[in-house]
Amino acid sequence: EYMGELLSYSPLNMAAHATDFHVGTTINQFIAAMERRHPTATGALSVVLMEIAVASKLIASKIQRAGIADILGKADSTNASGDAQQKLDVQSDVVMADRLLSTKYVAAYVSEERDEVVFPSNPDVAASARYVVATDPLDGSSNIACSVPVGTLFSVLERVTPVGAPVDIATDVLQPGRRQIAAGYVMYGSSVMFVITLGHGTGVHGFTLDPSIGEFVLSHENIRYPAAVKNFSINEGNTEYWSQGVKDYVASCKAVDKAAGRPYGARYVGSLVADAHRGFLYGGIFLYPADSKSPGGKLRLMYEASPFALLSEEAGGKASSGTVDILDIVPTSIHHKVPLILGNASEVDRALSFIRG
């Protein structure tokens, strides 16, 4: 597969190769162009990524019609973490699973909405497929009724065991984020935006859905964190549960320091995709730290923290649990939870200096 070929390029050279697209390029053209640069490519990864894009369009349609199609509100079920599922959580998961598992290229599907790993119904397909996809099909779904932006997150890994052998969950699925070969998110807000990286210095690229043609078109090429930090994003309702280090860091964000450009603006939507997306475009930091209520963290590693960690590094930023880089954490289960500190690299380091004491 062509992603193996990516490893032969230096990050600097690969970045140069990946940023010669023009505004208006469709996401399918972008993916196909990346594939053509690698003669050994089979097209399998391209199909997987294109199916994620199609699923995102279908989910966007459901969100836009939610109020009139009676699909707002809670379903009579909970997900693997015990959270009450919204009707749209369930429907979005079905859409994503159907699109991905209908290909012959996905060996295993991991979703926030499912207790276990899902494999293709045909065991021969599972054995011959090369990719593992982990996803939060609809992050922040409880915000839909008040029209707050929500999103889809995804991570793509390449299996480690030989093709033809049964998928081994410990080896093929529970891989650290550093091994992701693609990651991204879709934000459903005033517009629908698909943001993706293929890692290895290819950068982060944003595609906006043009409803007139039904296509994602390149609108934000080579997204990088701005040098200046403008905002911090954290749920201050949890203040009493924070460590003293987190409290001191947040206080420093609010303190007047004109030379350092502080105080920062406080921005918190409560939708991970929306809060992190703002940081990419405007410069800032997002924190969901460990606290006394959730000492192990609250965000899921495989399909929330790891995708954003790879995107952040590709955009010149950093992602940490407060103790280690997110991309170096090996999940112990598909719903493994971690703290997350994400944003401009220098500001993440500043936050860590407080948190670590």
Side-chain angles (χ1 to χ4, degrees), residues 170-333:
T171 303
D172 296 321
V173 177
L174 300 179
Q175 299 187 55
R178 191 75 65 186
R179 294 182 183 170
Q180 292 173 107
I181 58 173
Y185 63 90
V186 185
M187 188 176 71
Y188 311 102
S190 57
S191 61
V192 179
M193 191 169 176
F194 190 111
V195 180
I196 187 172
T197 183
L198 299 178
H200 306 293
T202 56
V204 178
H205 307 280
F207 299 77
T208 299
L209 183 62
D210 182 344
S212 68
I213 60 174
E215 293 284 355
F216 284 108
V217 296
L218 184 63
S219 55
H220 296 68
E221 183 183 16
N222 199 27
I223 296 170
R224 305 283 296 178
Y225 281 107
V229 176
K230 290 188 176 181
N231 303 309
F232 72 98
S233 181
I234 189 169
N235 183 359
E236 294 195 68
N238 289 328
T239 299
E240 292 304 310
Y241 302 110
W242 294 342
S243 68
Q244 190 59 47
V246 173
K247 291 178 182 178
D248 290 345
Y249 169 70
V250 171
S252 78
C253 291
K254 299 175 181 180
V256 176
D257 185 340
K258 292 184 178 180
R262 294 192 288 272
Y264 300 148
R267 302 286 186 273
Y268 185 76
V269 173
S271 171
L272 172 59
V273 169
D275 286 316
H277 181 72
R278 184 195 307 105
F280 285 130
L281 297 188
Y282 298 151
I285 185 169
F286 170 86
L287 304 94
Y288 209 126
D291 58 30
S292 62
K293 186 171 60 172
S294 302
K298 191 74 173 177
L299 298 179
R300 287 76 171 183
L301 175 62
M302 288 194 65
Y303 43 80
E304 293 178 327
S306 282
F308 267 119
L310 184 61
L311 288 158
S312 186
E313 286 203 2
E314 287 288 322
K318 187 172 184 176
S320 173
S321 69
T323 56
V324 296
D325 286 351
I326 289 292
L327 292 177
D328 294 328
I329 301 174
V330 180
T332 57
S333 70

Side-chain angles (χ1 to χ4, degrees), residues 101-170:
L101 294 173
S102 66
T103 74
K104 58 182 180 180
Y105 305 121
V106 174
Y109 173 78
V110 173
S111 169
E112 181 182 21
E113 308 308 328
R114 310 228 180 185
D115 293 343
E116 306 291 342
V117 180
V118 179
F119 302 102
S121 57
N122 184 334
D124 292 335
V125 171
S128 63
R130 298 185 62 169
Y131 299 108
V132 174
V133 179
T135 180
D136 181 348
L138 195 57
D139 174 69
S141 55
S142 61
N143 288 322
I144 289 175
C146 56
S147 298
V148 168
V150 293
T152 294
L153 297 96
F154 64 88
S155 167
V156 183
L157 297 157
E158 188 167 13
R159 65 184 295 170
V160 177
T161 56
V163 171
V167 174
D168 181 78
I169 292 177

Side-chain angles (χ1 to χ4, degrees), residues 334-347:
I334 60 173
H335 300 299
H336 184 141
K337 294 181 181 181
V338 293
L340 177 62
I341 303 165
L342 174 85
N344 290 58
S346 60
E347 190 62 21

